[in-house]
Amino acid sequence: METMLQRPPAIIGQREDEVDTPALLLDLDAFEYNLDRMAQLVAGTGVRLRPHAKTHKSPVIAQLQIALGAVGQCVQKVGEAEALVWGGVRDVFVSNEVVGTAKLARFAALAKIANVAICADSDAHVVAIEAAAADATVRVPVYVEIDAGAGRCGIEPGERAALLARRIAQSQHLTFGGLQAYNGSAQHQRRPQERAAAIETAADAVRRTIDALERLDLRCPVVTGGGTGTFEYEIASGVYTEIQPGSYCFMDADYARNLDANGKPVSTFRQSLFVLSTVMSVPRAGTAVLDAGHKAVTIDSGLPLLWQRPELAYVDASDEHGALSYAPDAQAPRLGEKIRLVPGHCDPTVDRHDWYVGVRNGRVECLWPIPARGAMH
Ligand SMILES: *Cc1c(COP(=O)(O)O)cnc(C)c1O
């Protein structure tokens, strides 16, 4: 996979302002702070941390999280699972439904060399996973995904979910792994009361399903869910045994709009991920153009923000250009000047890059490849 990568935009030891652009910059102090902070928040709760790797797509970052106590990783795609397992990660949960014989064969092949698990929300999924596991002569845990309130994937909680679990438990090559109960749309509800209420609804759905499982004499080994916006509520619910936050290691402009109980932006984690860009044109007063458009920093959750440059605004993104505007009395950006952008949405922005450029105290300290970049299959 390394042969597919672009050349790194930096060399170790360089100053940050010498890094080629656009580059995906990781502020190592802030990043390490975030990993430590999450480890502290989870410690002593009895709940296990299984971070979501769809954010970072990197076995290096997975291993750092695991060294701080995470039990493994979540992914959405078999290709992401492959990149992690081939990079030495031993425990990977595909927190998603997967359809297609070739994909499931690749998933089952991983079960020979690592602990892997997967989700289902229908009988047809279970039949297909059972066939793939039988072909590979492996036995894999399958989680029942319930609709935890977001109205995306997930079987109806309660009786129907329990019957699906029984079907899994009775399959020769499968074990019932537990319940996947993730509410994605709750993560970016701005007010904490809204996020708490959404997770209360999710926890109720889990409780109803556990009751229905008990009526079928089935034990639920794991209840997993929760992201960066809500994990504290899943921990407090008393029903979740595992959380799966992803964005917390980087953060982004969208998460920066979530509010805490005092109406202030949530400050649990620090912004550690940036896209470094260069001012490539200063065509007229009040306008400057950066070399980072939406091929370098995604705009699905809003335009990027400028880091610690309140006088500048990123106002328009095209493929390879980002237009900045600034007040006539502000100091004009200089041609060639390097500017840090805060991505609107961290996960898809990472997916646009081949390398993390890790910086500390203004110097490049490490270069980490992003082998699961583009791993959408
Ligand atoms: C994206 C995702 C997460 C992590 O969400 P963040 O907002 O990045 O913390 C967790 N679980 C599932 C199933 C996801 O799709």
Side-chain angles (χ1 to χ4, degrees):
M1 283 203 294
E2 298 262 328
T3 55
M4 303 288 288
L5 298 176
Q6 297 292 314
R7 184 180 68 73
I11 53 176
I12 288 170
Q14 244 175 356
R15 290 195 319 271
E16 179 176 326
D17 64 10
E18 296 172 313
V19 169
D20 202 357
T21 63
L24 191 66
L25 217 63
L26 191 55
D27 178 322
L28 294 167
D29 285 337
F31 167 72
E32 290 167 7
Y33 173 90
N34 292 343
L35 297 196
D36 286 340
R37 183 97 171 102
M38 181 59 86
Q40 287 160 9
L41 289 168
V42 172
T45 64
V47 172
R48 311 191 309 169
L49 171 64
R50 180 183 290 280
H52 212 300
K54 82 174 200 270
T55 305
H56 59 66
K57 294 176 163 280
S58 153
V60 174
I61 293 178
Q63 303 284 11
L64 293 172
Q65 292 170 323
I66 290 165
L68 289 174
V71 295
Q73 295 277 300
C74 295
V75 296
Q76 293 298 86
K77 302 287 185 167
V78 176
E80 292 173 330
E82 288 173 332
L84 293 187
V85 170
W86 296 344
V89 178
R90 311 305 311 160
D91 195 317
V92 180
F93 169 45
V94 182
S95 57
N96 202 4
E97 284 70 29
V98 171
V99 171
T101 312
K103 286 186 172 77
L104 288 172
R106 285 165 45 223
F107 167 76
L110 290 177
K112 295 258 186 194
I113 54 172
N115 296 322
V116 291
I118 197 165
C119 288
D121 68 2
S122 76
D123 283 349
H125 291 108
V126 174
V127 169
I129 302 164
E130 166 72 1
D135 266 0
T137 62
V138 293
R139 197 173 161 93
V140 290
V142 177
Y143 286 63
V144 171
E145 179 170 18
I146 61 170
D147 178 1
R152 193 171 58 182
C153 297
I155 194 169
E156 185 191 320
E159 190 70 29
R160 285 193 59 210
L163 289 171
L164 186 60
R166 184 170 68 183
R167 169 136 204 180
I168 294 166
Q170 290 174 345
S171 301
Q172 214 185 329
H173 296 87
L174 310 178
T175 58
F176 170 50
L179 297 178
Q180 163 73 358
Y182 173 69
N183 183 333
S185 63
Q187 304 308 316
H188 291 91
Q189 305 249 21
R190 296 307 176 206
R191 293 167 52 237
Q193 304 91 311
E194 297 169 313
R195 297 194 295 277
I199 300 316
E200 194 40 55
T201 303
D204 278 345
V206 170
R207 282 188 206 100
R208 265 187 289 130
T209 308
I210 290 177
D211 289 346
L213 287 167
E214 276 169 4
R215 289 197 290 277
L216 297 178
D217 269 336
L218 282 172
R219 205 180 64 81
C220 182
V222 176
V223 177
T224 183
T228 300
T230 65
F231 69 94
E232 286 158 296
Y233 306 117
E234 274 89 355
I235 289 176
S237 72
V239 298
Y240 283 80
T241 64
E242 209 171 85
I243 54 164
Q244 43 189 239
S247 302
Y248 77 95
C249 61
F250 299 149
M251 301 307 283
D252 55 32
D254 196 7
Y255 262 123
R257 290 187 275 270
N258 274 13
L259 302 176
D260 67 16
N262 301 316
K264 300 251 164 49
V266 169
S267 58
T268 316
F269 302 105
R270 296 183 180 162
Q271 186 63 41
S272 72
L273 189 82
F274 302 91
V275 171
L276 189 68
S277 61
T278 300
V279 177
M280 59 180 280
S281 173
V282 283
R284 65 197 73 83
T287 297
V289 183
L290 297 177
D291 65 352
H294 61 72
K295 283 185 180 168
V297 56
T298 63
I299 56 173
D300 58 299
S301 302
L303 292 170
L305 302 178
L306 290 128
W307 182 242
Q308 293 173 344
R309 297 293 295 267
E311 77 283 15
L312 303 177
Y314 191 112
V315 292
D316 190 39
S318 43
D319 280 24
E320 313 290 0
H321 298 96
L324 296 187
S325 75
Y326 58 94
D329 54 340
Q331 202 189 343
R334 284 175 291 104
L335 195 66
E337 189 177 345
K338 298 276 164 71
I339 292 190
R340 280 189 186 196
L341 300 174
V342 176
H345 190 182
C346 55
D347 314 35
T349 296
V350 168
D351 200 48
R352 299 284 162 96
H353 295 264
D354 283 308
W355 295 92
Y356 291 106
V357 177
V359 294
R360 197 183 323 259
N361 300 328
R363 295 264 169 191
V364 176
E365 183 175 304
C366 60
L367 295 167
W368 296 335
I370 307 177
R373 183 230 172 141
M376 66 178 93
H377 300 117

